[in-house]
Amino acid sequence: MELSLAHPAIKAFMCGSVSGTCSTLLFQPLDLVKTRLQTLQSGMQPGSGRVGMMTVVLSVVRTERLLGLWKGVSPSFARTIPGVGLYFSSYYSLKQHFLQDRSPGAAEAVLLGGSARTVAGVFMLPVTVIKTRFECGRYSYGSVTGALRSVCRTEGPAALFSGLMATLLRDVPFSGIYVMLYSQAKASLPKEVRSSASAPLANFSCGVVAGVLASLITQPADVVKTHVQVNPQLRTAVAIRYIYKEHRLRGFFRGAVPRALRRTLMAAMAWTVYEQMMTSIGLKS
């Protein structure tokens, strides 16, 4: 069979999966804290602005011990390892098909990043729903497969695709903006830096800048997505009205700090590891 492990798209998938594994394990606590902040009930926060990252961290450690910060790591692995692999293999395949070996322009980078994320986001959405429910602390699922069966049995298979619109409104712009800013920042680096031993550090720094901006722009969609997936009776428009009614505009930026930290560091690490691995096996990323 021609599509073997030597196929470039398969290599890109494997490189992406490795990068996703490393970043998921390191940054899972930030994702859990973000989800808990976004799903706090009004009655639990008399001065909503006073409930911050450290409050949530201490509460989780006190009630669920230190390992409680890694609650949801199993569905995170189930989502991120194949999801990041699928994202990078889609990105690589699209880039090779439309651009061959040249670097993408700004608009092309947006389209490449957004298209690759659409493929990965839709395919991995059922596991994303389960991951969000694990992290929020309101559900007592025993395993990822058990959670998938439970949702299908009690709510119907359609529940596994709840928040699809909000997820795409979050992930597609994030990836498009991120790839555009990241590729443009890398292209602006001096040639001697790009070919030196410090290139991975320079690439990581470019990823951090791109990640912070992309995270802040897409934060409102992330809050809406979390509410829809945790409360299956909500629809995207209803969730938007609910968040605004309960918390006003600041409600759309709850959890922005841990999310920006996680998404920025995760994306920067994933792209750095991916590009280094692709270079080491003789492929242009």
Side-chain angles (χ1 to χ4, degrees):
M1 186 176 179
E2 287 297 318
L3 192 60
S4 66
L5 291 179
H7 194 280
I10 301 297
K11 290 181 178 180
F13 181 92
M14 294 172 67
C15 292
S17 295
V18 171
S19 67
T21 301
C22 300
S23 53
T24 296
L25 186 60
L26 282 173
F27 305 126
Q28 175 62 22
L30 288 171
D31 203 25
L32 180 134
V33 171
K34 181 266 297 185
T35 301
R36 296 288 175 96
L37 281 171
Q38 290 178 352
T39 55
L40 281 173
Q41 299 298 305
S42 300
M44 297 171 63
Q45 42 170 351
S48 61
R50 293 197 290 270
V51 178
M53 285 179 59
M54 289 311 300
T55 305
V56 174
V57 169
L58 293 174
S59 174
V60 171
V61 172
R62 185 172 60 251
T63 59
E64 304 172 48
R65 302 194 179 185
L66 185 62
L67 287 179
L69 292 171
W70 274 266
K71 188 172 184 178
V73 75
S74 294
S76 286
F77 276 137
R79 168 183 175 266
T80 304
I81 294 174
V84 175
L86 184 60
Y87 169 76
F88 279 118
S89 62
S90 299
Y91 175 84
Y92 177 83
S93 298
L94 289 168
K95 184 171 180 289
Q96 291 301 305
H97 180 75
F98 291 106
L99 305 181
Q100 282 75 50
D101 289 326
R102 70 179 177 84
S103 298
E108 292 169 330
V110 171
L111 290 173
L112 281 174
S115 299
R117 180 56 62 190
T118 299
V119 173
V122 172
F123 190 81
M124 299 307 301
L125 186 60
V127 186
T128 302
V129 173
I130 299 304
K131 181 188 82 72
T132 303
R133 292 188 178 193
F134 262 88
E135 292 169 351
C136 77
R138 299 184 193 174
Y139 296 83
S140 55
Y141 299 130
S143 66
V144 176
T145 54
L148 289 169
R149 286 196 300 268
S150 174
V151 172
C152 286
R153 186 175 62 251
T154 59
E155 303 172 40
L160 293 174
F161 289 88
S162 60
L164 174 61
M165 182 60 67
T167 299
L168 293 179
L169 287 174
R170 177 197 68 168
D171 287 351
V172 174
F174 177 91
S175 292
I177 294 167
Y178 182 90
V179 173
M180 179 191 69
L181 294 175
Y182 178 67
S183 61
Q184 295 302 301
K186 273 182 58 183
S188 69
L189 292 173
K191 188 174 181 180
E192 54 270 22
V193 173
R194 282 180 278 166
S195 58
S196 69
S198 61
L201 180 59
N203 291 346
F204 187 86
S205 300
C206 292
V208 168
V209 173
V212 169
L213 294 174
S215 292
L216 292 177
I217 292 170
T218 58
Q219 177 63 22
D222 184 68
V223 177
V224 175
K225 176 208 74 84
T226 299
H227 277 270
V228 173
Q229 292 180 343
V230 170
N231 304 287
Q233 72 275 12
L234 288 180
R235 291 295 178 265
T236 300
V238 178
I240 292 172
R241 290 196 296 269
Y242 169 80
I243 294 166
Y244 182 77
K245 179 182 177 181
E246 292 292 319
H247 312 290
R248 298 302 176 189
L249 287 177
R250 67 181 176 183
F252 292 99
F253 290 89
R254 294 177 69 184
V257 173
R259 176 175 180 262
L261 284 172
R262 175 185 173 272
R263 287 303 298 261
T264 297
L265 295 174
M266 238 181 127
M269 175 179 285
W271 273 92
T272 301
V273 172
Y274 165 75
E275 291 183 330
Q276 289 302 113
M277 289 185 68
M278 292 289 279
T279 300
S280 71
I281 60 178
L283 292 177
K284 183 178 176 62
S285 58

